């Protein structure tokens, strides 16, 4: 695989990572407590969100036995 020079990005540009393997929802996990990424489908000039970004609160809600103040922003 050879490196490819890309043009300088500008506000409003999109970067597409096609066939990302383990980074897509079907192979993703919360390994190292990383929230799941959002996913977008694109067809022609139309795009739509098909899976929203997982929040840290949603990620931590899967844990058991955490202290009550784990969700507090005052820590």
């Amino acid at each position: 695989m050879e490196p490819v020079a890309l043009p300088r990005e500008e506000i409003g540009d999109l970067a597409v990572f096609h066939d990302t393997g383990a980074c897509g929802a079907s192979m993703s996990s919360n390994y190292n407590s990383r929230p799941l990424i959002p996913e977008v489908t694109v067809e022609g000039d139309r795009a739509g969100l098909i899976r929203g970004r997982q929040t840290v609160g949603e990620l931590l809600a899967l844990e058991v036995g955490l202290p009550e103040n784990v969700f507090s922003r005052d820590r």
Side-chain angles (χ1 to χ4, degrees), residues 12-32:
D13 286 350
L14 298 176
V16 175
F17 299 92
H18 194 274
D19 298 328
T20 58
C23 293
S26 63
M27 293 292 291
S28 64
S29 74
N30 293 118
Y31 181 73
N32 287 337

Side-chain angles (χ1 to χ4, degrees), residues 1-57:
M1 190 178 287
E2 296 293 321
V4 175
L6 298 175
R8 185 177 179 94
E9 72 279 358
E10 296 185 22
I11 293 174
D13 286 350
L14 298 176
V16 175
F17 299 92
H18 194 274
D19 298 328
T20 58
C23 293
S26 63
M27 293 292 291
S28 64
S29 74
N30 293 118
Y31 181 73
N32 287 337
S33 296
R34 300 275 188 214
L36 301 177
I37 62 170
E39 290 191 59
V40 175
T41 185
V42 178
E43 184 174 347
D45 62 351
R46 296 179 14 199
L49 186 67
I50 58 172
R51 184 181 308 269
R53 181 184 314 271
Q54 185 180 33
T55 67
V56 172

